[in-house]
Amino acid sequence: MTTRLRFALQCLALACAALIAMSAFAQQASAPAAPALPAWEQLTPAQREALIASVRDRWNDSDADHRARMMDHAQRWSTMSPEERQAARKGMHRWSDMSPEQREHARELYDRMRSMPPDQRRALKEKWRAMTPEQKKAWLEANPAPKP
């Protein structure tokens, strides 16, 4: 598989995942459970402080727009199911593994898909889910990611 094709596959996968709240990904078997940690109420004040210190610092160092985004993300996270959270974590890890160029391409592809009419976007998602890996490869070759 060529680097360009692999990159296009990553971009399309990321864009689709973001558009459907990343719930379409299959949940992988979880690793063995770590020892149970206490509930928040059972943590010591020092443990609670250690957990919130970095968030407090980021909040205090942020402007009003960034604080609004932080609050929006926190509210959305609290409404996600465990499966959606796992898919979101997977997407965040995939994003962090991308180069700056790949991230820019993914943003452009996401914007292009986001600008599609909802019915067209829904049809594309359904078509993508039904495709075999070979069909997906052919589709990506026929519909390359936009140039930066």
Side-chain angles (χ1 to χ4, degrees), residues 28-83:
Q28 296 179 350
S30 27
L37 295 172
W40 182 263
E41 295 77 18
Q42 296 170 329
L43 293 173
T44 65
Q47 289 171 319
R48 290 181 190 181
E49 176 61 25
L51 289 168
I52 63 170
S54 65
V55 175
R56 182 183 53 243
D57 292 343
R58 280 186 26 223
W59 181 270
N60 288 337
D61 292 341
S62 298
D63 61 24
D65 289 339
H66 191 239
R67 286 180 182 184
R69 284 193 308 274
M70 288 173 71
M71 184 60 72
D72 181 53
H73 290 168
Q75 289 170 337
R76 278 190 289 145
W77 187 263
S78 69
T79 63
M80 288 180 166
S81 69
E83 293 81 16

